[in-house]
Amino acid sequence: MSKPSLIITRRLTDAVLERAARDYDVKLNADDHVFSREELLEHCQSVDAVLPCHSERFDADVLAQLPDRLKIIANHSVGTDHVDLKAAKTRGIVVTNTPDVLSDATAEIAMLCMLGAARRGAEGNRMVREGKWNFWSPAFMVGRQVTGKRFAVLGMGRVGQVAAERARGFGMEIHYHNRRRLPAELEKGAIFHDSVESLLAVADVLSLHCPTTPESIDLINAERLALLPDGAILVNTARGALVDERALVEALKSGKLFAAGLDVFKDEPGGNPEIAALDNVFLLPHIGSATFETRDAMGYRALDNLDAFFAGREPTDRVT
Ligand code: DGY
């Protein structure tokens, strides 16, 4: 029997590519560049399935031009904001993601962002690397200690719960807001807030873990930043779209925020030059899930979903 044909849009790990080549007639992106819209459409014309990353946009227009034979978009990402899910559903295209397997890696990056922001990690690192460290005093490079502070999770899904667990390890008090309150065994003593506003009022560190939907774009805007305690820290390892970056720059400049630790930006790759020009930010290039272990696991999970689909079963991680 012939294998289903599959386009894999980006360079995945060797182990994942080997398994994919064993089970599918695979087309690869040889030099790992981001496909233009035209290239994406062209490559999708002759395949039964696509395994993309969040770097490929499947908007309504692209989805409308996919061939009838292409029946599944098996994402190598937990986020699905790069796919117009409604339009995919209308076209009868199944969309899957890769939840769970990246929660640990992403929660680790949230901790790195929190500590990097609180303890002025970028400033200190730059100073030593550039040979500009020529002074020391007890008043030098003083930052914020997170021990005993309130860690506020906005979006207590899988990643949010692991981030809360890690923050507990730093002796932080956990607060959260979620659409639904978690059962006690998942809450583990975390304090539930029934509104975003109530959470913000206690957020010494605000860590974003909610999905991007039309309703959550610019959720953290000037009005909401004003509700944070003075000197709060913002951590974003979810999506840049959640934050109004102009308002963030103002809050960082005015000292309303002590610092921000960001792994994601509205414009990627690249980031925001106004944010990058500030001292009180710790910035990373969207590497929340970028560990060897997690990249393998994400690839396998995407392949598991494809395998289930082509075996006539329901993919575990079907989102539409
Ligand atoms: C995700 O899985 O959504 C990460 O942001 C990497 O794409």
Side-chain angles (χ1 to χ4, degrees), residues 228-265:
L228 290 165
D230 289 344
I233 288 169
L234 174 72
V235 171
N236 190 4
T237 55
R239 285 290 186 265
L242 297 171
V243 178
D244 175 342
E245 290 184 345
R246 193 162 293 167
L248 173 62
V249 168
E250 287 315 310
L252 285 163
K253 280 185 175 166
S254 71
K256 173 68 192 174
L257 285 181
F258 177 73
L262 309 172
D263 183 44
V264 289
F265 302 86

Side-chain angles (χ1 to χ4, degrees), residues 113 116-118 120-124 126 234 248-249 252-253 257-262 265 272-284:
C113 286
R120 304 172 61 175
E123 263 179 282
R126 195 164 48 238
L234 174 72
L248 173 62
V249 168
L252 285 163
K253 280 185 175 166
L257 285 181
F258 177 73
L262 309 172
F265 302 86
N272 179 323
E274 272 194 74
I275 294 177
L278 300 172
D279 271 335
N280 53 345
V281 289
F282 180 84
L283 308 177
L284 294 172

Side-chain angles (χ1 to χ4, degrees), residues 142-285:
V142 176
R144 292 274 155 113
Q145 189 155 316
V146 299
T147 311
K149 301 281 168 42
R150 296 165 296 187
F151 184 75
V153 180
L154 186 48
M156 194 69 144
R158 299 169 179 94
V159 181
Q161 287 172 42
V162 183
E165 196 61 45
R166 301 292 176 268
R168 248 179 226 116
F170 287 112
M172 300 184 80
E173 181 177 280
I174 313 301
H175 293 249
Y176 76 99
H177 169 70
N178 203 40
R179 257 174 312 161
R180 272 188 299 273
R181 184 171 182 169
L182 300 184
E185 66 272 20
L186 294 181
E187 227 174 35
K188 296 183 182 162
I191 299 158
F192 175 67
H193 293 255
D194 61 8
S195 70
V196 177
E197 286 68 24
S198 157
L199 180 75
L200 294 181
V202 300
D204 297 321
V205 175
L206 175 65
S207 195
L208 307 182
H209 299 285
C210 44
T212 308
T213 60
E215 299 74 46
S216 64
I217 289 175
D218 286 341
L219 179 68
I220 303 303
N221 56 18
E223 292 75 48
R224 293 211 171 90
L225 285 167
L227 299 176
L228 290 165
D230 289 344
I233 288 169
L234 174 72
V235 171
N236 190 4
T237 55
R239 285 290 186 265
L242 297 171
V243 178
D244 175 342
E245 290 184 345
R246 193 162 293 167
L248 173 62
V249 168
E250 287 315 310
L252 285 163
K253 280 185 175 166
S254 71
K256 173 68 192 174
L257 285 181
F258 177 73
L262 309 172
D263 183 44
V264 289
F265 302 86
K266 278 204 195 304
D267 277 331
E268 294 185 8
N272 179 323
E274 272 194 74
I275 294 177
L278 300 172
D279 271 335
N280 53 345
V281 289
F282 180 84
L283 308 177
L284 294 172

Side-chain angles (χ1 to χ4, degrees), residues 53-54 76-81 98 102 106 237-239 264 286 289 295 298:
C53 295
H54 76 269
H76 183 276
S77 66
V78 67
T80 52
D81 48 305
T98 56
L102 44 65
T106 309
T237 55
R239 285 290 186 265
V264 289
H286 200 146
S289 56
R295 287 286 183 251
M298 289 170 77

Side-chain angles (χ1 to χ4, degrees), residues 75-112:
N75 288 295
H76 183 276
S77 66
V78 67
T80 52
D81 48 305
H82 57 290
V83 182
D84 185 327
L85 296 178
K86 241 194 215 152
K89 194 170 181 189
T90 309
R91 284 274 346 246
I93 295 174
V94 169
V95 178
T96 62
N97 69 344
T98 56
D100 299 320
V101 291
L102 44 65
S103 304
D104 287 333
T106 309
E108 284 178 7
I109 284 287
M111 295 301 102
L112 179 61

